[in-house]
Amino acid sequence: MTRGDPCERIRYEAGERFARGEKNAASAKDLRVRERSAERWRRAWRQGGMDALASAGPPKLPKLSDGQYAELEKELALGPAKHGWEDQRCTVARIRAVIAWKFQVDFSMAAVWRLLHRHEWSWQPVSRVASPRHSLNLLMARSTVLRSL
């Protein structure tokens, strides 16, 4: 059982109640779930025991594997100019375009953001253009924006 999944904890609690002989209606009421859910869990529990109440994991696999994500990070490290953009802004729309070009996978803007967020990227506001005396700071900000979007 994973500790972070509250739904799985509820199913395991229901399984313990089933083992004690508690009725579906009472279990459902105490656990604040629908009676139909308790019935479905009891059927699974009868067939496979407590293991049958475990989480099946996420509903679908990610569109990009870990290896593909590593390739994407390498592409993004090359910078926007390498991919034909004149300025150095690394936006979600541009990352979406790189994913579509490199992997022939269509992501929505929200899905690209979730992918990046899952890999601990964060949004960074673009600072004002630095004067020539602060050009080193501008370059450092650009590299930060590329890594942390």
Side-chain angles (χ1 to χ4, degrees):
M1 177 174 100
T2 55
R3 295 187 185 276
D5 185 4
C7 296
E8 190 174 54
R9 281 191 299 237
I10 292 171
R11 289 192 301 272
Y12 277 118
E13 173 67 25
E16 291 170 3
R17 289 168 180 259
F18 300 151
R20 291 192 303 255
E22 204 171 292
K23 301 282 184 194
N24 289 346
S27 296
K29 183 179 178 185
D30 291 345
L31 296 173
R32 296 181 179 178
V33 297
R34 294 180 336 167
E35 195 170 341
R36 290 221 179 214
S37 295
E39 290 169 4
R40 189 176 62 250
W41 297 340
R42 184 180 290 272
R43 274 194 307 275
W45 174 76
R46 278 187 190 141
Q47 292 175 354
M50 292 297 273
D51 291 339
L53 300 175
S55 173
K60 63 180 181 176
L61 296 174
K63 289 184 178 182
L64 289 184
S65 68
D66 290 339
Q68 289 174 316
Y69 183 78
E71 286 181 51
L72 174 64
E73 279 199 318
K74 288 177 187 174
E75 285 293 327
L76 295 177
L78 297 174
K82 170 71 174 160
H83 298 287
W85 289 291
E86 293 179 8
D87 59 19
Q88 288 296 309
R89 292 181 300 131
C90 189
T91 65
V92 174
R94 290 178 178 184
I95 294 172
R96 178 183 182 209
V98 171
I99 291 171
W101 165 76
K102 180 83 175 158
F103 305 107
Q104 291 78 41
V105 177
D106 187 31
F107 274 83
S108 68
M109 298 285 275
V112 171
W113 174 246
R114 286 191 302 269
L115 171 73
L116 296 172
H117 188 69
R118 242 188 336 268
H119 289 276
E120 299 179 0
W121 286 46
S122 62
W123 178 81
Q124 300 289 322
V126 178
S127 59
R128 295 182 187 191
V129 177
S131 65
R133 67 179 183 198
H134 297 320
S135 60
L136 180 60
N137 291 341
L138 180 62
L139 291 175
M140 290 172 63
R142 284 181 178 166
S143 66
T144 303
V145 169
L146 285 175
R147 172 58 183 110
S148 25
L149 185 62

